[in-house]
Amino acid sequence: MLTLPVSLHHLLLHQMATQDFKTTAAKAFREHYDKLVESIQEADLPVLGARFFCRQIISRETMEMVGNVSTSRALRVSKFMLAVMAHLDVHPDKFESALDVFREELVYADFASLIASSVGNIPTDSQHSLTVLTASPKTAIGKYADYLKNVYLRSKLPHKGKWPPAPCKKIIKLATIEIEDDRSHLALCKLNRSESIDEYMKNNRMNSISMEDLLTEKDGSLPKVVIIQGVPGIGKSTFSWKFCRKWAKGKIYQQYDLVVLLRMRDTRVREATKLSNLFFSEDADFSNEVAKAAVYNSGKGILLLLEGIDELPASCLADGMPLSNLLQGESLPLVTIIVTSRPWAVQTLEEKFEDQISRQVEILGFTREDILRYISHAFTEEEKTEFLEYLRSHPQLESIMHIPLNAAFVVQIYKQFRRSQQAIPSTLTQLYTALVEGLLLRYIKSVPEFDNLKIISVSSLPEPVQIHFNQLCLLAFMSFTKYTVQVTFTDSEAALYECFDFLGLMQSSTELTINTSTTVSHSFLHFTIQEFLAAYHLSKQPSQVQELFLEVHSKDPQFSMLITFLVGLNSSVLHCIKLPESKFQDLSTFHLHLLYETQSPKDVCKFLGNKTFVNYYPSLTSTSLDLHALSYCLCSSNCHWDLKISLRNFSSFCCIPDEFYKGHIKRLEIIDASRSNLQLFFSLPKRLFSNMYRLEIIECESFVGKILSDGRLTNLKQFSFQSRSLQISSNLSSVMENLFVSHPNLVHIGIIRTFILSSEMVELCKYMSSRSGSPELTLYLPQNSIETESLNLLISTVAYSKILTHLDISSNHLSVEELEMLSVALSANLSLKTLGMDGCSIGGEGAELLSTGLEKNRTLLGLDLRHNPINVNGAAALASMLTVNTSLEILYLSHNEQIGHVGALRLISALQDDNKTLATLRLPAECEPFEYRSILMDNIRKSGRIEFVVKTSSVRNTIAHKFTSLDIWPYI
């Protein structure tokens, strides 16, 4: 190794000795120059150089010189220290940051103490000296408040650089809402972007709230803990800084003497072990003085703003830690705390600090109207129309437009791809791939040696850029493991992964301390960009690594976006994501989104398997993205689907080449759809519906008749039509006419919660009369309002029908005359197997009339008479019927407490003495007679034929939302 020539070494020493440094910081380093040059070892030079470079204390050229082993160690250290001191002479505020470099290397930690101790012995120039905050005649709280106000007013947002490249300068106010007292409801709330903000708040019990009203309680008191949640990029950090600036300007909350912004990503917050550590000061005595003053007043008049608590390690919120003591109201009982967080971390806060939480607020970002206004500033009217059509056909991108940063991404990339006539991204992975490539290209254009490079991709970057890009991806990924670094990185953490060049993908910010500019931390431009880079790193790892990651994290909501990107980058990992183990495959909305992200029909088909029922029962608030992704999976899979969906927000479907259409919908329940929604859904290829055998329509009258008659439902066997509330159906006649003409072999017809007019009942009875032989028919008519004439016609048809095997007329009031007719019909009927009359108010007289008909009936297997005021006489008549009836196997009489002990005993005796056919008799628990427990009835008790049902809070046990099957008693 080359050694430093003696003459050159003395020359450098002479230069150092004669250098007229002005600042205390530079002079303190010069005093220990000889020891530094002598002590810093060869192996440590690159690490120290990288850390000083990351703190922006030395230039890139100096850092590269430090790593040049062809030059002697002593010469490189000499030049290195000279560069450090020259910088500190101009920027004395970097003194502590420079000392931190030595503190981080334990071998050189003593140098930090030695250099710092020299400060007091060096004469200082008042203009350039290190600022040390000390107590003044004002109180410590007041002194600290004055300082923070200056910081808030002087500082801009912590992010630097031209990011993001916004399409317009128009600022649109973000929507902020408050969640009502029932915090458990929060997990169920999901903003559907087709809703207006007013609709969303009404549907989810939320109220709009302004920053000025945030800390105002109804009783005039101050809240304890207020949680402000929002997804990444929604504006939580902006909100925090705006809050502090408004306070500093005297515009809001002047009842607080002190507002302290604590960013959870800052090192000093993470490493705090006592309360005074949270009141940043270079003077430890002053920090202690502020903490003592706060404790003396129990925190009264102090507001702490904990920004980004989801970025805090769990250990920092352990019992006994200063932040935990604050949130639990122990160390400062009267302090007010605002916490900002991503949604996934809110549940943890609720579980640990529930008693202290006064209010929860959600930042929603742009409403539908805001998005339109934002777009209007970015495009001409003609371009705006085209862009809105693009969003409608790509709901995945439309669904992220409410996030301001994402809105800028989508608009910019759309413009860029439209100008270059490239295929515009259609998935999140494609969007963020284009975004990252655009940022890299912008960086590369700033490097002269890459001047001729026009087109790049993340997989074909110039060699030095590719190396740094891979290192950044590793850094991004390692933060998610939570073993080494966090979401925000210090210079030393970045240096561990040799991230000396951030390629325009990261931003730097200064930690808020009493001297500012002491510590620089770095974060990716957007949290979702970090997730994309982490996924990119993982996608390049061996399959075993990817499989292990998915096995551990696939059910953790914190990793859902990373997994989405991973699947988009490498669809072959789909097989590692398991569906819940059940008789059928249950598909969640998250699965749908992952499958859509692949844009690979082959992988979708492979993931779902063949000839398998796939159940998809989402919430009734399915978004347009959910339904768009569902259409992609329907068409790409080779499966039989069982769907229950709301089509309210169905606005587009995936266009897939005909050769990829393989799926079949077997069972379909549609809830809440307009004519346009239905028309769009059934414009999917006819082959999807060709094997459908069950269709249920709820609250969707328009267009149903056309669907039934246009030849696409050639195998329909079960059909049900339902309203949510009792109402006259304007289209029921049309529906029934098309149904009976086009589908002559139905096995199930359901009409629920509607008025059935005489003309409609005539059509129904004609249909039953026109059929003979197989297949058998189930008629399900509960909770309707049926005209007397219509009901009489139905009962008359029952008498001679040869195909009607299951009839349910529950919750329809029957008069004595109608019950007499039904009794006659039952005595003549030769096909009916089950009869449902739950809640028909038949009473004792009605039970007697039915018993007369059932004495002669030899086909009925099941009878449901729950919730009817059947008395002792009615029970006696039914008991008498059971002594001669030889077909009935099930009789339900629960919720008929008027039967009493005597009536129950008559029924039990009939089973014990004469009836050997009835297998199940259900009676009210209140009616259990004392004699039933006697030894004389031991055999009947052990047989299990008798059940005493405890009355529950539910008045009905109906199945208005389900199809009946052809089992002997299908709906109990």
Side-chain angles (χ1 to χ4, degrees):
M1 181 178 292
L2 294 175
T3 57
L4 180 68
V6 176
S7 58
L8 182 56
H9 189 92
H10 281 293
L11 182 62
L12 280 173
L13 286 174
H14 177 73
Q15 183 182 9
M16 296 298 301
T18 58
Q19 177 73 44
D20 184 19
F21 291 118
K22 301 175 183 178
T23 68
T24 305
K27 291 176 181 179
F29 265 78
R30 186 179 65 180
E31 184 172 330
H32 301 284
Y33 165 78
D34 289 337
K35 289 184 179 180
L36 288 169
V37 172
E38 181 182 347
S39 302
I40 295 177
Q41 300 302 306
E42 176 69 47
D44 301 324
L45 267 175
V47 176
L48 292 172
R51 290 181 175 175
F52 274 104
F53 172 68
C54 289
R55 285 172 166 77
Q56 301 176 353
I57 296 176
I58 64 173
S59 66
R60 180 186 295 276
E61 290 76 13
T62 302
M63 183 191 69
E64 293 174 350
M65 178 273 299
V66 166
N68 184 4
V69 294
S70 62
T71 308
S72 72
R73 180 201 64 82
L75 181 59
R76 282 181 284 145
V77 175
S78 298
K79 290 183 177 181
F80 177 29
M81 286 296 104
L82 180 60
V84 170
M85 287 180 273
H87 185 82
L88 293 178
D89 202 38
V90 181
H91 302 284
D93 55 311
K94 293 289 184 71
F95 180 66
E96 276 297 324
S97 186
L99 293 183
D100 284 342
V101 173
F102 291 123
R103 292 185 183 119
E104 290 165 4
E105 287 295 317
L106 297 180
V107 178
Y108 304 111
D110 291 342
F111 274 113
S113 302
L114 191 63
I115 295 170
S117 66
S118 302
V119 173
N121 302 323
I122 299 173
T124 60
D125 181 86
S126 60
Q127 183 178 357
H128 297 284
S129 62
L130 296 174
T131 304
V132 179
L133 184 64
T134 57
S136 68
K138 295 181 65 176
T139 64
I141 296 291
K143 180 73 174 179
Y144 195 52
D146 289 343
Y147 163 72
L148 289 181
K149 286 179 180 179
N150 290 330
V151 171
Y152 299 148
L153 294 175
R154 184 177 66 249
S155 303
K156 297 181 180 180
L157 287 176
H159 303 316
K160 299 178 181 180
K162 297 179 180 179
W163 173 259
C168 61
K169 296 181 179 179
K170 182 70 175 178
I171 302 298
I172 299 173
K173 186 176 180 180
L174 301 179
T176 308
I177 52 90
E178 177 184 7
I179 294 94
E180 294 261 335
D181 293 337
D182 183 10
R183 298 193 191 101
S184 62
H185 181 67
L186 175 64
L188 304 176
C189 300
K190 181 180 180 183
L191 176 59
N192 184 338
R193 290 298 158 182
S194 64
E195 292 178 307
S196 68
I197 188 65
D198 294 333
E199 291 171 333
Y200 179 59
M201 290 190 297
K202 179 180 178 181
N203 294 338
N204 296 297
R205 305 195 301 274
M206 297 176 175
N207 300 307
S208 61
I209 188 170
S210 65
M211 184 182 290
E212 289 72 18
D213 297 328
L214 183 65
L215 301 179
T216 303
E217 292 282 48
K218 294 178 182 178
D219 59 1
S221 63
L222 294 174
K224 293 183 178 179
V225 176
V226 175
I227 294 178
I228 301 176
Q229 71 161 345
V231 298
I234 202 72
K236 299 185 297 296
S237 297
T238 303
F239 177 92
S240 301
W241 276 86
K242 188 175 181 181
F243 185 100
C244 293
R245 286 174 66 84
K246 278 194 169 188
W247 171 77
K249 291 178 180 179
K251 292 184 177 181
I252 59 173
Y253 300 118
Q254 294 307 292
Q255 64 266 43
Y256 291 103
D257 301 319
L258 179 64
V259 173
V260 182
L261 175 60
L262 299 174
R263 292 187 296 163
M264 301 298 100
R265 64 184 68 92
D266 287 350
T267 304
R268 296 197 181 189
V269 174
R270 295 168 180 271
E271 297 177 353
T273 57
K274 55 185 179 178
L275 182 62
S276 60
N277 296 148
L278 300 176
F279 299 104
F280 294 154
S281 169
E282 295 302 319
D283 184 351
D285 292 337
F286 180 75
S287 295
N288 289 328
E289 190 175 343
V290 175
K292 287 179 181 178
V295 172
Y296 179 79
N297 292 321
S298 298
K300 184 178 180 180
I302 298 177
L303 187 149
L304 302 179
L305 208 164
L306 312 185
E307 194 256 302
I309 203 165
D310 51 280
E311 299 177 16
L312 199 64
S315 58
C316 295
L317 289 179
D319 292 341
M321 297 300 288
L323 287 175
S324 180
N325 291 339
L326 284 169
L327 288 167
Q328 289 172 343
E330 295 176 357
S331 53
L332 299 176
L334 300 181
V335 75
T336 297
I337 301 176
I338 297 177
V339 177
T340 70
S341 174
R342 297 185 183 107
W344 62 264
V346 171
Q347 184 177 355
T348 302
L349 295 174
E350 289 178 339
E351 292 172 355
K352 192 171 179 63
F353 311 109
E354 181 179 8
D355 295 341
Q356 298 297 310
I357 298 174
S358 303
R359 172 174 283 166
Q360 288 196 33
V361 171
E362 180 182 5
I363 299 178
L364 296 178
F366 291 163
T367 64
R368 180 174 54 188
E369 294 77 15
D370 295 333
I371 292 172
L372 291 175
R373 191 158 64 250
Y374 183 78
I375 292 170
S376 297
H377 289 283
F379 296 100
T380 64
E381 279 302 313
E382 182 180 353
E383 291 172 336
K384 176 183 172 182
T385 302
E386 293 179 4
F387 180 72
L388 289 175
E389 182 60 35
Y390 164 69
L391 286 183
R392 273 192 293 272
S393 59
H394 296 87
Q396 193 170 30
L397 304 184
E398 185 181 32
S399 69
I400 64 172
M401 285 291 290
H402 66 286
I403 301 175
L405 283 175
N406 283 342
F409 300 162
V410 176
V411 167
Q412 167 139 345
I413 290 171
Y414 174 84
K415 284 185 169 184
Q416 172 189 332
F417 277 64
R418 188 171 177 271
R419 282 194 302 266
S420 61
Q421 297 184 339
Q422 295 175 265
I424 302 174
S426 60
T427 67
L428 282 179
T429 305
Q430 293 172 3
L431 176 72
Y432 274 85
T433 300
L435 174 65
V436 169
E437 289 176 351
L439 292 168
L440 290 171
L441 183 60
R442 184 174 68 174
Y443 166 81
I444 286 174
K445 285 183 176 179
S446 68
V447 180
E449 60 195 89
F450 300 128
D451 231 2
N452 298 325
L453 195 62
K454 301 298 180 186
I455 301 175
I456 65 165
S457 71
V458 291
S459 57
S460 60
L461 298 169
E463 184 176 351
V465 177
Q466 187 74 60
I467 292 172
H468 287 307
F469 178 72
N470 292 340
Q471 292 164 342
L472 283 176
C473 291
L474 173 60
L475 180 65
F477 175 75
M478 291 307 295
S479 74
F480 285 93
T481 67
K482 299 184 179 180
Y483 296 136
T484 51
V485 294
Q486 303 298 326
V487 177
T488 304
F489 316 98
T490 63
D491 299 325
S492 59
E493 289 167 337
L496 288 173
Y497 301 95
E498 301 180 343
C499 298
F500 305 132
D501 196 332
F502 296 145
L503 306 180
L505 296 174
M506 297 188 79
Q507 57 200 351
S508 301
S509 61
T510 303
E511 290 191 4
L512 183 61
T513 65
I514 208 67
N515 264 335
T516 69
S517 303
T518 58
T519 303
V520 178
S521 61
H522 314 280
S523 60
F524 289 93
L525 295 176
H526 188 223
F527 182 67
T528 315
I529 288 181
Q530 181 178 346
E531 291 175 303
F532 174 83
L533 296 178
Y536 183 83
H537 168 80
L538 187 57
S539 70
K540 301 300 179 183
Q541 303 309 302
S543 58
Q544 299 91 328
V545 175
Q546 299 181 51
E547 291 173 6
L548 179 61
F549 181 87
L550 290 173
E551 182 180 341
V552 174
H553 299 296
S554 61
K555 295 182 180 180
D556 189 338
Q558 185 180 353
F559 295 90
S560 60
M561 185 58 71
L562 189 155
I563 293 172
T564 300
F565 283 137
L566 176 61
V567 169
L569 292 165
N570 179 20
S571 60
S572 64
V573 300
L574 269 176
H575 74 277
C576 303
I577 299 171
K578 306 297 183 183
L579 289 171
E581 293 184 6
S582 62
K583 182 178 179 181
F584 301 114
Q585 294 188 50
D586 295 311
L587 202 62
S588 69
T589 299
F590 179 57
H591 292 128
L592 284 184
H593 293 183
L594 290 182
L595 293 172
Y596 175 71
E597 196 71 23
T598 66
Q599 291 296 291
S600 170
K602 179 180 178 181
D603 286 310
V604 171
C605 194
K606 184 178 179 181
F607 176 77
L608 294 175
N610 299 326
K611 307 299 183 185
T612 306
F613 262 114
V614 179
N615 300 327
Y616 179 60
Y617 301 148
S619 67
L620 300 185
T621 56
S622 298
T623 66
S624 56
L625 170 58
D626 300 337
L627 297 169
H628 188 83
L630 174 62
S631 71
Y632 180 81
C633 295
L634 287 174
C635 299
S636 302
S637 68
N638 189 22
C639 300
H640 294 159
W641 289 80
D642 181 6
L643 302 177
K644 179 179 180 179
I645 54 176
S646 167
L647 291 180
R648 183 196 311 174
N649 300 308
F650 188 62
S651 57
S652 65
F653 60 82
C654 254
C655 295
I656 297 174
D658 284 348
E659 61 267 23
F660 290 120
Y661 281 111
K662 298 179 180 180
H664 296 286
I665 302 174
K666 302 289 283 187
R667 301 189 291 239
L668 175 63
E669 180 177 333
I670 297 176
I671 305 169
D672 193 11
S674 66
R675 179 184 180 88
S676 59
N677 294 142
L678 284 171
Q679 192 167 5
L680 181 62
F681 185 77
F682 281 96
S683 65
L684 285 163
K686 287 187 177 182
R687 72 189 73 179
L688 278 176
F689 308 99
S690 60
N691 288 325
M692 184 190 298
Y693 69 86
R694 187 170 82 182
L695 174 63
E696 182 169 359
I697 303 289
I698 301 177
E699 207 73 23
C700 317
E701 299 175 4
S702 303
F703 197 66
V704 175
K706 188 175 187 308
I707 295 170
L708 294 169
S709 62
D710 67 359
R712 74 183 62 230
L713 306 179
T714 54
N715 286 304
L716 189 65
K717 300 299 181 187
Q718 300 182 11
F719 175 79
S720 183
F721 178 86
Q722 175 179 328
S723 296
R724 284 185 177 154
S725 58
L726 195 64
Q727 60 184 9
I728 296 177
S729 170
S730 58
N731 290 317
L732 185 56
S733 296
S734 171
V735 169
M736 293 176 70
E737 180 181 350
N738 286 288
L739 178 69
F740 299 150
V741 170
S742 304
H743 305 280
N745 295 314
L746 292 172
V747 298
H748 176 100
I749 298 172
I751 302 172
I752 306 144
R753 288 200 190 101
T754 189
F755 284 89
I756 301 179
L757 304 176
S758 298
S759 58
E760 296 162 348
M761 186 61 74
V762 168
E763 292 295 325
L764 179 59
C765 292
K766 279 183 180 179
Y767 179 73
M768 288 193 291
S769 302
S770 66
R771 288 175 47 179
S772 59
S774 61
E776 298 174 340
L777 177 66
T778 295
L779 189 58
Y780 185 56
L781 304 174
Q783 304 178 54
N784 295 296
S785 178
I786 305 176
E787 294 179 340
T788 300
E789 185 179 348
S790 300
L791 195 54
N792 291 340
L793 183 59
L794 173 63
I795 294 172
S796 299
T797 306
V798 170
Y800 54 79
S801 174
K802 297 180 180 179
I803 63 167
L804 185 62
T805 54
H806 304 278
L807 174 64
D808 192 313
I809 52 174
S810 297
S811 301
N812 289 289
H813 178 74
L814 273 70
S815 66
V816 173
E817 291 77 11
E818 291 161 346
L819 286 167
E820 287 179 345
M821 290 183 61
L822 182 58
S823 178
V824 173
L826 288 173
S827 65
N829 182 276
L830 297 176
S831 64
L832 201 62
K833 295 179 180 178
T834 65
L835 175 61
M837 297 183 65
D838 178 8
C840 287
S841 303
I842 67 172
E845 186 178 1
E848 293 176 26
L849 291 171
L850 287 176
S851 298
T852 302
L854 289 172
E855 287 178 357
K856 299 178 182 180
N857 184 282
R858 294 296 179 265
T859 59
L860 196 68
L861 303 177
L863 177 62
D864 179 9
L865 295 178
R866 292 171 299 157
H867 297 98
N868 287 288
I870 298 174
N871 54 23
V872 176
N873 293 334
L878 290 169
S880 178
M881 176 270 296
L882 289 174
T883 62
V884 296
N885 182 284
T886 58
S887 64
L888 202 62
E889 297 178 3
I890 298 175
L891 176 59
Y892 290 164
L893 291 172
S894 54
H895 303 282
N896 287 289
E897 288 74 22
Q898 297 92 330
I899 287 175
H901 302 302
V902 175
L905 187 58
R906 294 287 298 273
L907 289 162
I908 294 169
S909 298
L911 264 64
Q912 185 183 35
D913 300 332
D914 302 296
N915 185 290
K916 306 302 179 185
T917 309
L918 196 70
T920 302
L921 172 63
R922 288 186 180 175
L923 294 168
E926 298 88 337
C927 300
E928 181 179 357
F930 175 78
E931 293 84 351
Y932 182 66
R933 293 295 176 185
S934 70
I935 193 170
L936 297 176
M937 291 192 177
D938 188 52
N939 291 335
I940 189 72
R941 280 190 291 111
K942 289 182 178 179
S943 69
R945 298 170 68 192
I946 308 219
E947 300 174 8
F948 290 98
V949 180
V950 178
K951 188 174 183 178
T952 61
S953 58
S954 61
V955 180
R956 291 285 186 271
N957 181 22
T958 61
I959 57 153
H961 292 282
K962 298 182 181 179
F963 281 97
T964 59
S965 64
L966 300 181
D967 299 330
I968 183 173
W969 201 255
Y971 40 85
I972 298 300

